[in-house]
Amino acid sequence: MDFEWDENKNKINKAKHGISTEREDRTRIISARLAEKKEKEAYYSNC
């Protein structure tokens, strides 16, 4: 799996939350929260 990396966003997250999400792989993570039922249904209905 490839991850898309945004170094500026990483610096902001590190300053704001004290954590870095650096990875060697490239994937774009939009949200780390669990999807709600309606979001899952919308996502899977478009597959």
Side-chain angles (χ1 to χ4, degrees):
M1 178 182 286
D2 288 335
F3 286 83
E4 182 179 305
W5 189 249
D6 184 340
E7 186 57 40
N8 187 50
K9 179 73 172 174
N10 180 53
K11 289 177 185 176
I12 292 168
N13 284 338
K14 192 171 185 179
K16 185 175 181 180
H17 304 292
I19 60 169
S20 175
T21 54
E22 286 185 61
R23 295 192 60 141
E24 291 183 19
D25 297 331
R26 298 184 75 196
T27 292
R28 186 168 188 191
I29 300 174
I30 297 172
S31 176
R33 68 174 176 78
L34 292 174
E36 295 178 6
K37 183 178 179 182
K38 288 183 180 183
E39 293 170 318
K40 289 180 186 178
E41 290 170 350
Y43 176 83
Y44 287 112
S45 70
N46 292 320
C47 291

